[in-house]
Amino acid sequence: MYVILVYDLEAERTYKALKLGRRYLTHVQNSVLEGEISEGDLQKLRGELEELLKPGESAILYELSSDTLVNRSVYGEDPTKDQRFL
Amino acid sequence: MYVILVYDLEAERTYKALKLGRRYLTHVQNSVLEGEISEGDLQKLRGELEELLKPGESAILYELSSDTLVNRSVYGEDPTKDQRFL
């Protein structure tokens, strides 16, 4: 399946969510990752997210059965074209 | 249709994207809004986003034909339960 992950952690802890997310997904914007993921990896990601988050922090996981169900448009500069995102 | 909007603007300008997005969608996390939107309003939102963004800033718009196509899970504290999001 295809998932979109958006997270909101304390500023000095955001790198932890990014590091976790990158093990499974592609970083597409500041606090957003997306990509194809297996059911097994999704279960792992869910567990690791729950473990990572502290009070006041959150993450939203949108699951789609396929990325063909979503039409994706980027406005402004596409951050994935920025070297920092490679 | 149902859309998810994530934006990444310069810190002192994020309120502008939030203000714009809120005219059409519901604020669900720090830089994330979502909701049902008409084709007409979506066209307006697209135009306004393009006008708003400065170099280095971006917004991603995920369009779904229906919110039933997406399974949404929130980890940590659901920010929409926070008064700041009302």
Coordinates of all heavy atoms in Angstrom, one line a residue, chain A:
Chain A
M1 N 0.8 -1.2 0.0 CA 0.0 0.0 0.0 C 0.9 1.3 0.0 O 2.1 1.2 0.2 CB -0.9 0.0 1.2 CG -0.2 0.2 2.5 SD -1.3 -0.1 3.9 CE -1.7 -1.8 3.6
Y2 N 0.2 2.4 -0.2 CA 0.9 3.6 -0.3 C 0.6 4.5 0.9 O -0.6 4.6 1.2 CB 0.5 4.4 -1.6 CG 1.5 5.4 -2.0 CD1 2.6 5.1 -2.7 CD2 1.3 6.8 -1.6 CE1 3.6 6.1 -3.1 CE2 2.2 7.8 -2.0 CZ 3.3 7.4 -2.7 OH 4.2 8.4 -3.1
V3 N 1.6 5.1 1.6 CA 1.2 5.9 2.8 C 1.9 7.3 2.7 O 2.9 7.5 2.0 CB 1.7 5.2 4.1 CG1 1.0 3.9 4.3 CG2 3.1 5.1 4.2
I4 N 1.2 8.2 3.4 CA 1.7 9.6 3.5 C 1.8 9.8 5.1 O 0.9 9.5 5.8 CB 0.8 10.6 3.0 CG1 0.5 10.4 1.5 CG2 1.3 12.0 3.2 CD1 -0.7 11.1 0.9
L5 N 3.0 10.2 5.5 CA 3.2 10.4 6.9 C 3.6 11.8 7.2 O 4.5 12.4 6.5 CB 4.4 9.5 7.4 CG 4.9 9.7 8.8 CD1 3.9 9.4 9.9 CD2 6.2 8.9 9.1
V6 N 2.8 12.5 8.1 CA 3.2 13.9 8.5 C 3.4 13.9 10.0 O 2.6 13.3 10.7 CB 2.1 14.9 8.1 CG1 2.0 15.0 6.6 CG2 0.7 14.6 8.6
Y7 N 4.4 14.5 10.4 CA 4.7 14.5 11.8 C 4.9 15.9 12.4 O 5.3 16.8 11.7 CB 5.9 13.6 12.2 CG 7.2 14.0 11.4 CD1 8.0 15.0 11.9 CD2 7.5 13.3 10.3 CE1 9.2 15.3 11.2 CE2 8.7 13.6 9.6 CZ 9.5 14.7 10.1 OH 10.7 15.0 9.4
D8 N 4.7 16.0 13.7 CA 4.9 17.3 14.4 C 5.5 17.0 15.7 O 4.8 16.7 16.7 CB 3.5 18.0 14.5 CG 3.7 19.4 15.1 OD1 4.8 20.0 15.1 OD2 2.7 19.9 15.6
L9 N 6.8 17.2 15.8 CA 7.5 16.9 17.0 C 8.2 18.2 17.5 O 8.3 19.2 16.8 CB 8.7 15.9 16.8 CG 8.2 14.4 16.9 CD1 7.5 14.0 15.7 CD2 9.5 13.5 17.1
E10 N 8.6 18.2 18.8 CA 9.4 19.4 19.3 C 10.6 19.6 18.3 O 11.2 18.6 17.8 CB 9.9 19.1 20.7 CG 8.9 19.0 21.7 CD 8.2 20.4 21.9 OE1 8.9 21.4 21.9 OE2 6.9 20.4 22.1
A11 N 10.8 20.9 18.0 CA 11.8 21.2 17.0 C 13.2 20.4 17.1 O 13.7 19.9 16.1 CB 12.1 22.7 17.1
E12 N 13.7 20.3 18.4 CA 15.0 19.6 18.5 C 14.9 18.1 18.4 O 15.9 17.4 18.4 CB 15.6 20.0 19.8 CG 15.0 19.5 21.1 CD 13.8 20.4 21.5 OE1 13.4 21.3 20.8 OE2 13.3 20.2 22.6
R13 N 13.6 17.6 18.2 CA 13.4 16.2 18.1 C 12.9 15.7 16.7 O 12.8 14.5 16.5 CB 12.5 15.7 19.2 CG 13.1 15.6 20.6 CD 12.0 15.3 21.7 NE 10.9 14.5 21.3 CZ 11.0 13.1 21.2 NH1 12.1 12.5 21.6 NH2 10.0 12.4 20.9
T14 N 12.7 16.7 15.8 CA 12.1 16.3 14.5 C 13.1 15.4 13.7 O 12.6 14.5 13.0 CB 11.9 17.6 13.6 OG1 13.1 18.4 13.6 CG2 10.7 18.4 14.1
Y15 N 14.4 15.5 13.9 CA 15.3 14.6 13.2 C 15.0 13.2 13.5 O 15.3 12.3 12.7 CB 16.8 15.0 13.5 CG 17.3 14.5 14.8 CD1 17.9 13.3 15.0 CD2 17.0 15.3 16.0 CE1 18.4 12.9 16.2 CE2 17.5 14.9 17.2 CZ 18.1 13.7 17.3 OH 18.6 13.2 18.6
K16 N 14.5 12.9 14.7 CA 14.2 11.5 15.1 C 13.1 10.9 14.2 O 13.1 9.8 13.8 CB 13.9 11.4 16.6 CG 15.0 11.8 17.5 CD 14.7 11.5 18.9 CE 15.9 11.9 19.8 NZ 16.1 11.0 21.0
A17 N 12.1 11.7 14.0 CA 11.0 11.3 13.2 C 11.4 11.1 11.7 O 11.0 10.1 11.1 CB 9.8 12.2 13.3
L18 N 12.2 12.0 11.3 CA 12.8 11.9 9.9 C 13.6 10.7 9.7 O 13.5 9.9 8.8 CB 13.6 13.2 9.6 CG 14.3 13.2 8.3 CD1 13.2 13.1 7.1 CD2 15.1 14.5 8.1
K19 N 14.5 10.4 10.7 CA 15.3 9.3 10.7 C 14.5 8.0 10.6 O 14.8 7.0 9.8 CB 16.3 9.3 11.9 CG 17.5 8.4 11.8 CD 18.3 8.5 13.0 CE 19.3 7.4 13.2 NZ 19.9 7.3 14.5
L20 N 13.5 7.9 11.5 CA 12.6 6.8 11.5 C 11.9 6.6 10.2 O 11.9 5.5 9.6 CB 11.6 6.9 12.7 CG 10.4 6.0 12.7 CD1 10.8 4.5 12.7 CD2 9.5 6.2 13.9
G21 N 11.2 7.7 9.7 CA 10.4 7.6 8.5 C 11.3 7.2 7.3 O 10.8 6.4 6.5
R22 N 12.5 7.7 7.2 CA 13.3 7.4 6.1 C 13.7 6.0 6.0 O 14.2 5.5 4.9 CB 14.6 8.3 6.2 CG 14.5 9.6 5.5 CD 15.9 10.2 5.5 NE 15.9 11.4 4.6 CZ 16.7 12.4 4.8 NH1 17.6 12.4 5.8 NH2 16.7 13.4 4.0
R23 N 13.6 5.2 7.0 CA 13.9 3.8 6.9 C 12.9 3.1 6.1 O 13.1 2.0 5.6 CB 14.0 3.2 8.3 CG 15.2 3.7 9.1 CD 15.7 3.0 10.3 NE 14.9 1.9 10.7 CZ 14.2 1.8 11.8 NH1 14.2 2.8 12.7 NH2 13.5 0.7 12.1
Y24 N 11.7 3.7 5.9 CA 10.6 3.0 5.2 C 10.1 3.8 4.0 O 9.6 3.3 3.0 CB 9.4 2.8 6.1 CG 9.8 2.0 7.4 CD1 10.0 2.6 8.6 CD2 9.9 0.6 7.3 CE1 10.3 1.9 9.7 CE2 10.2 -0.2 8.4 CZ 10.4 0.5 9.6 OH 10.7 -0.3 10.7
L25 N 10.2 5.2 4.1 CA 9.6 6.0 3.1 C 10.5 7.1 2.5 O 11.7 7.1 2.9 CB 8.4 6.8 3.8 CG 7.4 5.9 4.5 CD1 6.4 6.7 5.4 CD2 6.6 5.1 3.4
T26 N 10.0 7.9 1.6 CA 10.8 8.9 1.0 C 10.4 10.3 1.5 O 9.3 10.6 1.7 CB 10.6 8.9 -0.6 OG1 10.8 7.6 -1.1 CG2 11.4 9.9 -1.3
H27 N 11.4 11.1 1.8 CA 11.2 12.4 2.4 C 10.8 13.4 1.3 O 11.6 13.6 0.3 CB 12.5 12.9 3.1 CG 12.4 14.1 3.9 ND1 13.5 14.9 4.2 CD2 11.3 14.7 4.5 CE1 13.1 15.9 4.9 NE2 11.8 15.8 5.1
V28 N 9.6 13.9 1.3 CA 9.1 14.8 0.2 C 9.0 16.3 0.6 O 8.9 17.1 -0.2 CB 7.8 14.3 -0.4 CG1 8.0 12.9 -1.0 CG2 6.7 14.2 0.6
Q29 N 8.9 16.5 1.9 CA 8.8 17.9 2.4 C 9.2 18.0 3.8 O 9.3 16.9 4.5 CB 7.3 18.5 2.2 CG 7.3 20.0 2.1 CD 5.8 20.5 2.2 OE1 5.1 20.3 3.2 NE2 5.4 21.2 1.2
N30 N 9.4 19.2 4.3 CA 9.9 19.3 5.7 C 9.5 18.2 6.7 O 10.3 17.5 7.2 CB 9.4 20.7 6.2 CG 10.2 21.2 7.4 OD1 11.3 20.7 7.7 ND2 9.7 22.2 8.1
S31 N 8.2 18.1 6.9 CA 7.8 17.1 7.9 C 6.9 16.0 7.3 O 5.9 15.5 7.9 CB 7.0 17.7 9.0 OG 7.8 18.7 9.6
V32 N 7.1 15.7 6.0 CA 6.3 14.8 5.2 C 7.1 13.7 4.5 O 8.1 14.1 3.9 CB 5.5 15.6 4.2 CG1 4.4 14.7 3.5 CG2 4.9 16.8 4.7
L33 N 6.7 12.5 4.7 CA 7.3 11.4 3.9 C 6.2 10.6 3.2 O 5.0 10.6 3.7 CB 8.1 10.5 4.8 CG 9.3 11.1 5.6 CD1 8.9 11.3 7.0 CD2 10.5 10.2 5.5
E34 N 6.5 9.9 2.2 CA 5.5 9.1 1.5 C 6.2 7.9 0.8 O 7.4 8.0 0.6 CB 4.6 9.9 0.6 CG 5.4 10.5 -0.6 CD 4.5 11.3 -1.5 OE1 4.2 12.5 -1.2 OE2 4.1 10.8 -2.6
G35 N 5.4 7.0 0.5 CA 5.9 5.9 -0.3 C 5.2 4.6 -0.2 O 4.2 4.5 0.6
E36 N 5.6 3.6 -1.0 CA 5.0 2.3 -1.0 C 5.6 1.6 0.2 O 6.8 1.7 0.5 CB 5.4 1.6 -2.3 CG 4.6 0.4 -2.7 CD 3.2 0.7 -3.0 OE1 2.9 1.7 -3.7 OE2 2.3 -0.1 -2.6
I37 N 4.7 0.8 0.9 CA 5.2 0.1 2.1 C 4.5 -1.2 2.2 O 3.3 -1.3 1.9 CB 5.1 1.0 3.4 CG1 5.8 0.4 4.6 CG2 3.6 1.2 3.7 CD1 5.9 1.4 5.8
S38 N 5.2 -2.2 2.7 CA 4.5 -3.5 2.9 C 3.7 -3.5 4.2 O 4.0 -2.7 5.1 CB 5.6 -4.6 3.0 OG 6.3 -4.5 4.2
E39 N 2.8 -4.4 4.3 CA 2.0 -4.5 5.5 C 2.9 -4.7 6.8 O 2.6 -4.1 7.8 CB 0.9 -5.6 5.4 CG -0.1 -5.7 6.5 CD -0.9 -4.5 6.7 OE1 -1.4 -4.0 5.7 OE2 -1.1 -4.0 7.8
G40 N 3.9 -5.6 6.6 CA 4.8 -5.8 7.7 C 5.6 -4.6 8.2 O 5.7 -4.3 9.4
D41 N 6.1 -3.9 7.2 CA 6.9 -2.7 7.5 C 5.9 -1.6 8.1 O 6.3 -0.8 9.0 CB 7.6 -2.1 6.3 CG 8.9 -2.8 6.0 OD1 9.3 -3.6 6.9 OD2 9.5 -2.6 4.9
L42 N 4.7 -1.6 7.7 CA 3.7 -0.6 8.2 C 3.5 -0.9 9.7 O 3.4 0.1 10.5 CB 2.4 -0.6 7.4 CG 1.4 0.4 7.8 CD1 1.9 1.8 7.7 CD2 0.1 0.2 6.9
Q43 N 3.4 -2.1 10.0 CA 3.2 -2.5 11.4 C 4.4 -2.1 12.3 O 4.2 -1.5 13.4 CB 2.9 -4.0 11.6 CG 1.6 -4.5 11.0 CD 0.4 -3.6 11.3 OE1 0.3 -3.2 12.5 NE2 -0.5 -3.4 10.4
K44 N 5.6 -2.3 11.7 CA 6.8 -1.8 12.4 C 6.8 -0.3 12.6 O 7.1 0.2 13.7 CB 8.0 -2.3 11.6 CG 8.4 -3.7 11.8 CD 9.8 -4.0 11.2 CE 9.8 -5.2 10.3 NZ 10.9 -5.3 9.4
L45 N 6.5 0.4 11.5 CA 6.5 1.8 11.5 C 5.5 2.4 12.6 O 5.8 3.3 13.4 CB 6.2 2.4 10.1 CG 6.0 3.9 10.0 CD1 7.2 4.6 10.4 CD2 5.6 4.2 8.5
R46 N 4.3 1.8 12.6 CA 3.3 2.2 13.6 C 3.8 2.0 15.0 O 3.7 2.9 15.9 CB 2.1 1.3 13.5 CG 1.2 1.5 12.3 CD 0.1 0.4 12.3 NE -0.8 0.5 11.2 CZ -1.8 1.4 11.1 NH1 -2.0 2.3 12.0 NH2 -2.5 1.4 10.0
G47 N 4.4 0.9 15.3 CA 4.9 0.6 16.7 C 6.1 1.6 17.0 O 6.1 2.1 18.1
E48 N 6.9 1.8 16.1 CA 8.1 2.7 16.3 C 7.6 4.2 16.5 O 8.2 4.9 17.3 CB 9.1 2.6 15.2 CG 9.8 1.3 15.3 CD 10.5 0.9 14.0 OE1 10.3 1.5 13.0 OE2 11.3 -0.1 14.0
L49 N 6.6 4.6 15.8 CA 6.0 5.9 15.9 C 5.5 6.1 17.3 O 5.7 7.1 18.0 CB 4.9 6.2 14.9 CG 5.3 6.7 13.5 CD1 4.0 6.7 12.7 CD2 6.0 8.0 13.6
E50 N 4.7 5.1 17.7 CA 4.1 5.2 19.1 C 5.1 5.3 20.2 O 4.9 6.0 21.2 CB 3.2 3.9 19.3 CG 1.8 4.2 18.7 CD 0.9 2.9 18.7 OE1 1.4 1.8 19.1 OE2 -0.2 3.0 18.2
E51 N 6.2 4.6 20.0 CA 7.3 4.6 20.9 C 8.0 5.9 21.0 O 8.5 6.4 22.0 CB 8.3 3.5 20.5 CG 8.9 2.7 21.7 CD 9.6 1.5 21.2 OE1 8.9 0.5 21.0 OE2 10.8 1.6 21.0
L52 N 8.2 6.5 19.8 CA 8.9 7.8 19.6 C 8.2 9.0 20.2 O 8.9 9.9 20.8 CB 9.2 8.0 18.1 CG 9.9 9.3 17.7 CD1 11.3 9.3 18.3 CD2 9.9 9.5 16.2
L53 N 6.9 9.1 20.0 CA 6.2 10.3 20.3 C 6.1 10.6 21.8 O 5.7 9.8 22.6 CB 4.9 10.4 19.6 CG 4.9 10.3 18.1 CD1 3.5 10.1 17.5 CD2 5.6 11.5 17.5
K54 N 6.3 11.9 22.2 CA 6.2 12.3 23.5 C 4.9 13.2 23.6 O 4.3 13.6 22.6 CB 7.4 13.2 23.9 CG 8.7 12.4 24.0 CD 9.7 13.0 24.8 CE 10.9 12.1 25.1 NZ 12.0 12.7 25.7
P55 N 4.4 13.5 24.8 CA 3.2 14.3 25.0 C 3.3 15.6 24.2 O 4.3 16.2 24.2 CB 3.1 14.5 26.5 CG 3.8 13.3 27.1 CD 5.0 13.0 26.1
G56 N 2.2 15.9 23.5 CA 2.2 17.1 22.7 C 2.7 16.9 21.3 O 2.6 17.8 20.5
E57 N 3.3 15.8 21.0 CA 3.8 15.5 19.6 C 2.8 14.6 18.9 O 2.0 13.9 19.6 CB 5.1 14.8 19.7 CG 6.2 15.7 20.3 CD 7.6 15.0 20.4 OE1 7.6 13.8 20.4 OE2 8.6 15.7 20.6
S58 N 2.8 14.6 17.6 CA 1.8 13.8 16.9 C 2.3 13.4 15.5 O 3.2 14.0 15.0 CB 0.5 14.5 16.8 OG 0.6 15.6 15.9
A59 N 1.7 12.4 15.0 CA 2.0 12.0 13.6 C 0.7 11.5 13.0 O -0.1 10.9 13.7 CB 3.0 10.9 13.6
I60 N 0.5 11.8 11.7 CA -0.7 11.3 11.0 C -0.3 10.4 9.9 O 0.7 10.8 9.2 CB -1.6 12.4 10.5 CG1 -2.0 13.4 11.6 CG2 -2.9 11.9 9.9 CD1 -2.7 14.7 11.1
L61 N -0.9 9.3 9.8 CA -0.5 8.3 8.8 C -1.7 8.1 7.9 O -2.8 7.7 8.3 CB -0.1 7.0 9.4 CG 0.7 6.0 8.7 CD1 2.0 6.5 8.1 CD2 1.0 4.8 9.6
Y62 N -1.6 8.5 6.6 CA -2.7 8.3 5.7 C -2.4 7.1 4.8 O -1.3 7.0 4.2 CB -2.8 9.5 4.7 CG -3.2 10.8 5.4 CD1 -2.2 11.7 5.7 CD2 -4.5 11.1 5.6 CE1 -2.5 12.9 6.3 CE2 -4.8 12.4 6.3 CZ -3.8 13.2 6.6 OH -4.1 14.4 7.2
E63 N -3.2 6.1 4.8 CA -3.0 4.9 4.1 C -3.9 4.8 2.9 O -5.1 4.9 3.0 CB -3.3 3.6 4.9 CG -2.3 3.4 6.1 CD -2.9 2.3 7.0 OE1 -3.3 1.2 6.5 OE2 -3.0 2.6 8.2
L64 N -3.3 4.5 1.7 CA -4.1 4.3 0.5 C -3.8 3.0 0.0 O -2.7 2.5 0.1 CB -3.6 5.4 -0.5 CG -3.8 6.8 -0.1 CD1 -2.6 7.7 -0.6 CD2 -5.1 7.3 -0.7
S65 N -4.8 2.3 -0.6 CA -4.5 1.0 -1.2 C -3.6 1.1 -2.3 O -2.9 0.2 -2.7 CB -5.8 0.3 -1.5 OG -6.6 1.2 -2.3
S66 N -3.5 2.3 -3.0 CA -2.6 2.4 -4.1 C -2.4 3.9 -4.4 O -3.2 4.7 -4.1 CB -3.3 1.8 -5.4 OG -2.7 2.4 -6.6
D67 N -1.2 4.2 -4.9 CA -0.9 5.6 -5.1 C -1.6 6.1 -6.4 O -1.6 7.3 -6.7 CB 0.6 5.9 -5.2 CG 1.3 5.3 -6.5 OD1 0.6 4.4 -7.1 OD2 2.4 5.7 -6.8
T68 N -2.2 5.2 -7.1 CA -3.0 5.7 -8.3 C -4.3 6.3 -7.8 O -5.0 7.0 -8.6 CB -3.3 4.5 -9.2 OG1 -4.1 3.5 -8.5 CG2 -2.1 3.9 -9.8
L69 N -4.6 6.2 -6.5 CA -5.9 6.8 -6.0 C -5.7 8.2 -5.7 O -6.6 8.9 -5.4 CB -6.3 6.0 -4.8 CG -6.7 4.6 -5.0 CD1 -7.0 3.9 -3.6 CD2 -7.9 4.5 -5.9
V70 N -4.4 8.7 -5.7 CA -4.2 10.1 -5.3 C -3.5 10.9 -6.5 O -2.7 10.4 -7.2 CB -3.3 10.1 -4.0 CG1 -1.9 9.6 -4.3 CG2 -3.2 11.5 -3.5
N71 N -4.0 12.1 -6.6 CA -3.4 13.0 -7.6 C -2.5 14.0 -6.8 O -3.1 14.7 -5.9 CB -4.5 13.7 -8.3 CG -3.9 14.7 -9.4 OD1 -2.7 14.6 -9.7 ND2 -4.7 15.6 -9.8
R72 N -1.3 14.1 -7.0 CA -0.4 14.8 -6.2 C 0.2 16.0 -7.0 O 0.7 15.9 -8.1 CB 0.8 13.9 -5.9 CG 1.9 14.4 -5.0 CD 2.9 13.3 -4.9 NE 3.9 13.6 -3.9 CZ 4.9 14.4 -4.2 NH1 5.0 15.0 -5.3 NH2 5.8 14.7 -3.2
S73 N 0.0 17.2 -6.5 CA 0.6 18.4 -7.1 C 1.5 19.1 -6.2 O 1.2 19.3 -5.0 CB -0.6 19.4 -7.5 OG -1.7 18.7 -7.9
V74 N 2.6 19.6 -6.7 CA 3.5 20.4 -5.9 C 3.5 21.8 -6.3 O 3.6 22.1 -7.5 CB 5.0 19.8 -6.0 CG1 5.9 20.7 -5.1 CG2 5.0 18.4 -5.5
Y75 N 3.3 22.8 -5.4 CA 3.4 24.2 -5.7 C 4.6 24.8 -5.1 O 5.1 24.3 -4.1 CB 2.1 24.9 -5.1 CG 0.9 24.3 -5.7 CD1 0.3 23.2 -5.2 CD2 0.4 24.8 -6.9 CE1 -0.8 22.6 -5.7 CE2 -0.7 24.2 -7.5 CZ -1.3 23.1 -6.9 OH -2.4 22.5 -7.5
G76 N 5.1 25.8 -5.7 CA 6.4 26.4 -5.3 C 7.5 25.5 -5.7 O 7.4 24.8 -6.7
E77 N 8.6 25.5 -5.0 CA 9.7 24.7 -5.3 C 9.6 23.3 -4.8 O 9.3 23.1 -3.6 CB 11.0 25.3 -4.8 CG 11.4 26.6 -5.5 CD 12.7 27.2 -5.0 OE1 13.5 26.5 -4.3 OE2 12.9 28.3 -5.3
D78 N 9.7 22.3 -5.6 CA 9.6 20.9 -5.2 C 10.8 20.6 -4.3 O 11.9 20.6 -4.7 CB 9.6 20.0 -6.4 CG 9.3 18.5 -6.0 OD1 9.4 18.2 -4.8 OD2 8.9 17.8 -6.9
P79 N 10.6 20.4 -3.0 CA 11.7 20.2 -2.1 C 12.5 18.9 -2.4 O 13.6 18.8 -2.0 CB 11.0 20.0 -0.7 CG 9.6 20.4 -0.9 CD 9.3 20.3 -2.3
T80 N 11.9 17.9 -3.1 CA 12.6 16.7 -3.4 C 13.7 17.0 -4.4 O 14.6 16.2 -4.6 CB 11.7 15.6 -3.9 OG1 11.0 16.1 -5.1 CG2 10.7 15.2 -2.8
K81 N 13.6 18.2 -5.1 CA 14.7 18.5 -6.0 C 15.8 19.2 -5.3 O 16.8 19.5 -6.0 CB 14.1 19.4 -7.1 CG 13.1 18.6 -8.0 CD 12.6 19.4 -9.2 CE 11.7 18.5 -10.0 NZ 10.5 19.2 -10.5
D82 N 15.7 19.4 -4.0 CA 16.7 20.1 -3.3 C 17.7 19.0 -2.8 O 17.2 17.9 -2.3 CB 16.0 20.8 -2.1 CG 17.0 21.6 -1.3 OD1 18.1 21.2 -1.0 OD2 16.6 22.8 -0.9
Q83 N 18.9 19.3 -2.8 CA 20.0 18.3 -2.4 C 19.8 17.8 -1.0 O 20.1 16.7 -0.7 CB 21.4 18.9 -2.6 CG 21.8 19.2 -4.0 CD 21.9 17.9 -4.8 OE1 22.4 16.9 -4.3 NE2 21.5 17.9 -6.1
R84 N 19.2 18.7 -0.1 CA 19.1 18.4 1.3 C 18.2 17.2 1.4 O 18.2 16.5 2.5 CB 18.5 19.5 2.1 CG 19.4 20.7 2.2 CD 18.7 21.8 2.9 NE 17.5 22.2 2.1 CZ 16.5 23.0 2.6 NH1 16.6 23.5 3.8 NH2 15.5 23.2 1.8
F85 N 17.3 16.9 0.4 CA 16.4 15.8 0.6 C 16.9 14.5 0.0 O 16.2 13.5 0.0 CB 15.0 16.2 -0.1 CG 14.3 17.2 0.8 CD1 14.6 18.5 0.9 CD2 13.3 16.7 1.6 CE1 13.8 19.3 1.8 CE2 12.5 17.5 2.5 CZ 12.8 18.8 2.5
L86 N 18.1 14.5 -0.6 CA 18.6 13.3 -1.2 C 19.1 12.4 -0.1 O 19.4 12.8 1.0 CB 19.6 13.6 -2.3 CG 19.0 14.3 -3.5 CD1 20.1 14.5 -4.5 CD2 17.8 13.6 -4.1

